[in-house]
Amino acid sequence: MKMPGVKTIKPILLASAAIAFPMLAHAASDYPTPAVAEYVYGCMKANGENRDTLQRCSCSIDVIASVVTYERYEAAETYKQMGLVPGENGVLFRESAPAKAAIGELKRAQAEADIRCF
């Protein structure tokens, strides 16, 4: 069997990219603009405030949005924030099964985003 040449592979890669990028854009469009902006802002504050970081952080939220629905993202972020409340008031948000599941799902999505974007 003859191996495909570079001339054959380039169009295949371009076609694959043309299919994949709209999927990511569609997923991110399910997230409200303020949520996307807040994520990118926080990401840039943590990783550096330059053009390269803007691109990487934008990529990161796109990947997260392609893996986790906005409703699950919002729940996980809420559990994380409420889990910061000290003492018994925050224990439900740190220790409950739904909290652990939602936060775990978000962490897996963020790990995937780190691999793809950073």
Side-chain angles (χ1 to χ4, degrees):
M1 181 173 171
K2 186 177 174 186
M3 296 294 292
V6 174
K7 290 182 180 181
T8 306
I9 292 175
K10 281 185 179 180
I12 293 170
L13 290 175
L14 289 173
S16 298
I19 292 169
F21 287 129
M23 287 181 192
L24 282 178
H26 174 68
S29 69
D30 293 342
Y31 279 46
T33 301
V36 172
E38 184 178 336
Y39 179 89
V40 171
Y41 178 75
C43 176
M44 289 182 69
K45 281 293 193 186
N47 295 297
E49 298 175 13
N50 57 51
R51 181 81 174 142
D52 182 54
T53 305
L54 172 64
Q55 293 296 327
R56 292 177 187 276
C57 292
S58 297
C59 170
S60 181
I61 191 63
D62 287 345
V63 171
I64 291 169
S66 73
V67 175
V68 178
T69 65
Y70 178 69
E71 291 75 22
R72 296 291 294 162
Y73 173 83
E74 186 177 39
E77 285 295 326
T78 300
Y79 283 127
K80 282 174 45 181
Q81 290 300 316
M82 295 304 293
L84 297 175
V85 174
E88 287 185 33
N89 292 334
V91 116
L92 175 67
F93 300 102
R94 289 188 298 274
E95 302 298 326
S96 71
K100 287 181 178 181
I103 292 170
E105 181 181 18
L106 180 58
K107 284 182 179 180
R108 285 187 293 282
Q110 288 172 325
E112 178 69 23
D114 287 348
I115 290 168
R116 289 193 202 177
C117 303
F118 286 91

